[in-house]
Short mmCIF file of all heavy atoms in Angstrom, two decimals:
data_model
loop_
_atom_site.label_atom_id
_atom_site.label_comp_id
_atom_site.label_asym_id
_atom_site.label_seq_id
_atom_site.Cartn_x
_atom_site.Cartn_y
_atom_site.Cartn_z
N ASP A 1 -1.65 -9.50 1.99
CA ASP A 1 -2.16 -9.40 3.35
C ASP A 1 -1.20 -8.57 4.19
O ASP A 1 -0.10 -9.02 4.51
CB ASP A 1 -2.32 -10.80 3.96
CG ASP A 1 -2.87 -10.78 5.38
OD1 ASP A 1 -2.98 -9.69 5.99
OD2 ASP A 1 -3.19 -11.87 5.88
N LEU A 2 -1.60 -7.35 4.51
CA LEU A 2 -0.81 -6.48 5.37
C LEU A 2 -1.56 -6.21 6.67
O LEU A 2 -1.34 -5.19 7.33
CB LEU A 2 -0.50 -5.15 4.66
CG LEU A 2 0.37 -5.25 3.42
CD1 LEU A 2 0.55 -3.88 2.78
CD2 LEU A 2 1.71 -5.86 3.74
N SER A 3 -2.45 -7.11 7.04
CA SER A 3 -3.32 -6.89 8.20
C SER A 3 -2.54 -6.65 9.49
O SER A 3 -3.01 -5.95 10.38
CB SER A 3 -4.30 -8.05 8.37
OG SER A 3 -3.61 -9.27 8.52
N GLY A 4 -1.35 -7.19 9.61
CA GLY A 4 -0.55 -6.99 10.80
C GLY A 4 0.26 -5.71 10.79
O GLY A 4 0.86 -5.33 11.79
N ASP A 5 0.27 -5.00 9.65
CA ASP A 5 1.11 -3.81 9.50
C ASP A 5 0.34 -2.50 9.40
O ASP A 5 0.94 -1.44 9.52
CB ASP A 5 1.97 -3.93 8.23
CG ASP A 5 2.91 -5.12 8.27
OD1 ASP A 5 3.37 -5.47 9.37
OD2 ASP A 5 3.16 -5.70 7.20
N VAL A 6 -0.95 -2.56 9.15
CA VAL A 6 -1.69 -1.34 8.87
C VAL A 6 -2.61 -0.95 10.01
O VAL A 6 -3.01 -1.78 10.82
CB VAL A 6 -2.53 -1.47 7.57
CG1 VAL A 6 -1.66 -1.85 6.40
CG2 VAL A 6 -3.67 -2.43 7.74
N SER A 7 -2.94 0.33 10.05
CA SER A 7 -3.95 0.83 10.98
C SER A 7 -5.28 0.22 10.58
O SER A 7 -5.69 0.31 9.43
CB SER A 7 -4.03 2.36 10.88
OG SER A 7 -5.27 2.83 11.35
N GLN A 8 -5.94 -0.42 11.51
CA GLN A 8 -7.22 -1.06 11.20
C GLN A 8 -8.31 -0.02 10.93
O GLN A 8 -9.37 -0.34 10.41
CB GLN A 8 -7.63 -2.00 12.32
CG GLN A 8 -6.67 -3.17 12.48
CD GLN A 8 -6.57 -4.03 11.22
OE1 GLN A 8 -7.56 -4.51 10.70
NE2 GLN A 8 -5.36 -4.22 10.72
N MET A 9 -8.05 1.23 11.27
CA MET A 9 -9.02 2.28 10.98
C MET A 9 -9.00 2.65 9.49
O MET A 9 -10.03 2.91 8.91
CB MET A 9 -8.73 3.51 11.82
CG MET A 9 -9.69 4.65 11.61
SD MET A 9 -9.27 5.98 12.72
CE MET A 9 -10.15 7.30 11.97
N GLU A 10 -7.80 2.68 8.91
CA GLU A 10 -7.68 3.14 7.53
C GLU A 10 -7.33 2.03 6.54
O GLU A 10 -7.62 2.15 5.36
CB GLU A 10 -6.64 4.26 7.44
CG GLU A 10 -7.08 5.49 8.19
CD GLU A 10 -6.17 6.66 7.96
OE1 GLU A 10 -5.31 6.61 7.06
OE2 GLU A 10 -6.31 7.65 8.68
N GLY A 11 -6.65 0.99 6.99
CA GLY A 11 -6.29 -0.09 6.08
C GLY A 11 -5.43 0.37 4.94
O GLY A 11 -4.48 1.11 5.11
N ILE A 12 -5.78 -0.07 3.74
CA ILE A 12 -5.06 0.31 2.52
C ILE A 12 -6.01 1.16 1.69
O ILE A 12 -6.87 0.64 0.98
CB ILE A 12 -4.63 -0.94 1.71
CG1 ILE A 12 -3.74 -1.84 2.57
CG2 ILE A 12 -3.90 -0.53 0.43
CD1 ILE A 12 -3.40 -3.18 1.93
N PRO A 13 -5.89 2.49 1.77
CA PRO A 13 -6.84 3.33 1.04
C PRO A 13 -6.60 3.41 -0.46
O PRO A 13 -7.49 3.80 -1.20
CB PRO A 13 -6.70 4.70 1.70
CG PRO A 13 -5.34 4.69 2.30
CD PRO A 13 -5.03 3.27 2.64
N SER A 14 -5.39 3.06 -0.92
CA SER A 14 -5.14 3.23 -2.35
C SER A 14 -4.11 2.24 -2.88
O SER A 14 -3.15 1.89 -2.19
CB SER A 14 -4.66 4.67 -2.61
OG SER A 14 -4.76 5.00 -3.97
N LEU A 15 -4.33 1.85 -4.11
CA LEU A 15 -3.50 0.89 -4.84
C LEU A 15 -3.39 1.41 -6.27
O LEU A 15 -4.38 1.86 -6.84
CB LEU A 15 -4.18 -0.48 -4.82
CG LEU A 15 -3.79 -1.54 -5.83
CD1 LEU A 15 -2.40 -2.06 -5.54
CD2 LEU A 15 -4.80 -2.68 -5.78
N ALA A 16 -2.19 1.38 -6.83
CA ALA A 16 -2.00 1.85 -8.20
C ALA A 16 -1.07 0.92 -8.97
O ALA A 16 -0.02 0.50 -8.46
CB ALA A 16 -1.43 3.26 -8.21
N PHE A 17 -1.48 0.60 -10.18
CA PHE A 17 -0.67 -0.21 -11.09
C PHE A 17 -0.10 0.71 -12.17
O PHE A 17 -0.85 1.44 -12.82
CB PHE A 17 -1.53 -1.28 -11.76
CG PHE A 17 -2.06 -2.31 -10.81
CD1 PHE A 17 -3.35 -2.21 -10.30
CD2 PHE A 17 -1.28 -3.39 -10.42
CE1 PHE A 17 -3.85 -3.16 -9.43
CE2 PHE A 17 -1.77 -4.35 -9.54
CZ PHE A 17 -3.05 -4.23 -9.05
N PRO A 18 1.23 0.67 -12.39
CA PRO A 18 1.79 1.50 -13.45
C PRO A 18 1.39 0.97 -14.82
O PRO A 18 0.99 -0.19 -14.96
CB PRO A 18 3.30 1.38 -13.23
CG PRO A 18 3.49 0.10 -12.51
CD PRO A 18 2.24 -0.12 -11.69
N PRO A 19 1.49 1.82 -15.84
CA PRO A 19 1.12 1.39 -17.19
C PRO A 19 1.88 0.16 -17.67
O PRO A 19 1.35 -0.62 -18.46
CB PRO A 19 1.46 2.61 -18.06
CG PRO A 19 1.49 3.77 -17.13
CD PRO A 19 1.90 3.22 -15.79
N ASP A 20 3.11 -0.06 -17.17
CA ASP A 20 3.91 -1.20 -17.62
C ASP A 20 3.86 -2.39 -16.63
O ASP A 20 4.75 -3.23 -16.62
CB ASP A 20 5.35 -0.78 -17.87
CG ASP A 20 6.03 -0.15 -16.65
OD1 ASP A 20 5.35 0.09 -15.62
OD2 ASP A 20 7.24 0.14 -16.74
N TYR A 21 2.79 -2.48 -15.84
CA TYR A 21 2.65 -3.57 -14.87
C TYR A 21 2.77 -4.94 -15.53
O TYR A 21 3.38 -5.85 -14.97
CB TYR A 21 1.32 -3.46 -14.14
CG TYR A 21 1.04 -4.61 -13.19
CD1 TYR A 21 1.67 -4.67 -11.95
CD2 TYR A 21 0.18 -5.65 -13.54
CE1 TYR A 21 1.44 -5.72 -11.08
CE2 TYR A 21 -0.05 -6.71 -12.68
CZ TYR A 21 0.58 -6.74 -11.45
OH TYR A 21 0.37 -7.79 -10.60
N ALA A 22 2.23 -5.09 -16.71
CA ALA A 22 2.26 -6.40 -17.39
C ALA A 22 3.68 -6.89 -17.62
O ALA A 22 3.93 -8.10 -17.63
CB ALA A 22 1.50 -6.33 -18.71
N THR A 23 4.64 -5.97 -17.77
CA THR A 23 6.01 -6.38 -18.03
C THR A 23 6.90 -6.37 -16.79
O THR A 23 7.86 -7.13 -16.72
CB THR A 23 6.67 -5.50 -19.11
OG1 THR A 23 6.62 -4.13 -18.69
CG2 THR A 23 5.97 -5.67 -20.45
N ASN A 24 6.59 -5.50 -15.80
CA ASN A 24 7.49 -5.43 -14.64
C ASN A 24 6.88 -5.95 -13.34
O ASN A 24 7.60 -6.16 -12.38
CB ASN A 24 8.06 -4.03 -14.46
CG ASN A 24 7.03 -3.02 -14.01
OD1 ASN A 24 5.99 -3.34 -13.45
ND2 ASN A 24 7.32 -1.74 -14.26
N GLY A 25 5.56 -6.12 -13.26
CA GLY A 25 4.91 -6.68 -12.09
C GLY A 25 4.98 -5.84 -10.84
O GLY A 25 4.69 -6.31 -9.74
N ARG A 26 5.36 -4.57 -10.97
CA ARG A 26 5.42 -3.68 -9.81
C ARG A 26 4.07 -3.00 -9.59
O ARG A 26 3.37 -2.70 -10.55
CB ARG A 26 6.47 -2.59 -10.01
CG ARG A 26 7.85 -3.11 -10.21
CD ARG A 26 8.88 -2.01 -10.39
NE ARG A 26 8.36 -0.82 -11.05
CZ ARG A 26 8.91 0.38 -10.98
NH1 ARG A 26 9.99 0.58 -10.27
NH2 ARG A 26 8.39 1.42 -11.62
N PHE A 27 3.74 -2.74 -8.33
CA PHE A 27 2.55 -1.96 -8.00
C PHE A 27 2.81 -1.20 -6.71
O PHE A 27 3.80 -1.45 -6.01
CB PHE A 27 1.30 -2.84 -7.90
CG PHE A 27 1.33 -3.84 -6.78
CD1 PHE A 27 0.73 -3.56 -5.56
CD2 PHE A 27 1.96 -5.06 -6.94
CE1 PHE A 27 0.78 -4.48 -4.52
CE2 PHE A 27 2.00 -5.99 -5.91
CZ PHE A 27 1.41 -5.70 -4.69
N PHE A 28 1.95 -0.24 -6.40
CA PHE A 28 2.18 0.67 -5.30
C PHE A 28 0.94 0.77 -4.41
O PHE A 28 -0.19 0.70 -4.91
CB PHE A 28 2.54 2.06 -5.85
CG PHE A 28 3.77 2.03 -6.69
CD1 PHE A 28 3.70 1.68 -8.04
CD2 PHE A 28 5.02 2.29 -6.15
CE1 PHE A 28 4.84 1.61 -8.82
CE2 PHE A 28 6.16 2.23 -6.93
CZ PHE A 28 6.07 1.88 -8.26
N ILE A 29 1.18 0.92 -3.11
CA ILE A 29 0.07 1.11 -2.17
C ILE A 29 0.44 2.23 -1.21
O ILE A 29 1.61 2.55 -1.01
CB ILE A 29 -0.26 -0.16 -1.35
CG1 ILE A 29 0.87 -0.51 -0.40
CG2 ILE A 29 -0.61 -1.33 -2.25
CD1 ILE A 29 0.42 -1.30 0.81
N ILE A 30 -0.61 2.80 -0.60
CA ILE A 30 -0.45 3.71 0.53
C ILE A 30 -1.13 3.05 1.71
O ILE A 30 -2.18 2.43 1.57
CB ILE A 30 -1.12 5.07 0.25
CG1 ILE A 30 -0.29 5.86 -0.74
CG2 ILE A 30 -1.30 5.86 1.53
CD1 ILE A 30 -0.88 7.22 -1.05
N HIS A 31 -0.53 3.18 2.89
CA HIS A 31 -1.22 2.78 4.12
C HIS A 31 -0.64 3.54 5.29
O HIS A 31 0.44 4.13 5.21
CB HIS A 31 -1.12 1.26 4.34
CG HIS A 31 0.15 0.78 4.94
ND1 HIS A 31 0.42 0.83 6.29
CD2 HIS A 31 1.24 0.22 4.38
CE1 HIS A 31 1.61 0.31 6.53
NE2 HIS A 31 2.14 -0.05 5.39
N LYS A 32 -1.40 3.56 6.37
CA LYS A 32 -0.95 4.16 7.63
C LYS A 32 -0.81 3.05 8.64
O LYS A 32 -1.69 2.18 8.73
CB LYS A 32 -1.94 5.21 8.11
CG LYS A 32 -1.41 6.06 9.25
CD LYS A 32 -2.25 7.29 9.49
CE LYS A 32 -3.27 6.98 10.55
NZ LYS A 32 -4.05 8.13 10.97
N ASP A 33 0.29 3.06 9.41
CA ASP A 33 0.49 2.00 10.39
C ASP A 33 -0.15 2.38 11.73
O ASP A 33 -0.70 3.48 11.89
CB ASP A 33 1.98 1.66 10.53
CG ASP A 33 2.84 2.78 11.08
OD1 ASP A 33 2.33 3.66 11.82
OD2 ASP A 33 4.04 2.79 10.79
N ALA A 34 -0.07 1.48 12.70
CA ALA A 34 -0.70 1.68 14.00
C ALA A 34 -0.07 2.83 14.78
O ALA A 34 -0.67 3.34 15.73
CB ALA A 34 -0.65 0.39 14.81
N SER A 35 1.13 3.25 14.39
CA SER A 35 1.81 4.37 15.06
C SER A 35 1.57 5.69 14.35
O SER A 35 2.27 6.68 14.61
CB SER A 35 3.32 4.09 15.15
OG SER A 35 3.55 2.92 15.91
N ASP A 36 0.62 5.72 13.41
CA ASP A 36 0.23 6.93 12.67
C ASP A 36 1.26 7.42 11.67
O ASP A 36 1.28 8.59 11.31
CB ASP A 36 -0.19 8.07 13.60
CG ASP A 36 -1.48 7.76 14.33
OD1 ASP A 36 -2.32 7.04 13.76
OD2 ASP A 36 -1.65 8.23 15.48
N PHE A 37 2.13 6.52 11.19
CA PHE A 37 3.03 6.87 10.10
C PHE A 37 2.41 6.42 8.78
O PHE A 37 1.94 5.28 8.68
CB PHE A 37 4.39 6.17 10.27
CG PHE A 37 5.28 6.82 11.28
CD1 PHE A 37 5.20 6.49 12.62
CD2 PHE A 37 6.22 7.77 10.87
CE1 PHE A 37 6.03 7.09 13.56
CE2 PHE A 37 7.06 8.37 11.80
CZ PHE A 37 6.96 8.03 13.15
N SER A 38 2.42 7.31 7.79
CA SER A 38 1.95 6.93 6.45
C SER A 38 3.13 6.38 5.66
O SER A 38 4.27 6.82 5.82
CB SER A 38 1.36 8.14 5.72
OG SER A 38 0.09 8.43 6.24
N HIS A 39 2.81 5.41 4.78
CA HIS A 39 3.83 4.75 3.96
C HIS A 39 3.36 4.70 2.51
O HIS A 39 2.20 4.41 2.24
CB HIS A 39 4.03 3.30 4.43
CG HIS A 39 4.46 3.17 5.84
ND1 HIS A 39 5.78 3.01 6.20
CD2 HIS A 39 3.75 3.17 6.99
CE1 HIS A 39 5.87 2.92 7.52
NE2 HIS A 39 4.65 3.02 8.03
#
């Protein structure tokens, strides 16, 4: 839940799991905040 951190217009447009997610549990997202910065 990143509802307090993201631009409500764009939300979380993308999510990616690396091939080794099963062993390392890492994942990645892109979002834009309310101040128009992308992360």
Side-chain angles (χ1 to χ4, degrees):
D1 181 351
L2 296 178
S3 58
D5 299 327
V6 305
S7 158
Q8 296 300 305
M9 181 177 163
E10 294 188 12
I12 302 173
S14 196
L15 161 70
F17 294 97
D20 57 354
Y21 175 77
T23 57
N24 70 22
R26 300 181 328 159
F27 65 96
F28 300 84
I29 67 155
I30 286 181
H31 81 81
K32 191 166 94 174
D33 65 26
S35 299
D36 292 329
F37 282 87
S38 285
H39 301 263

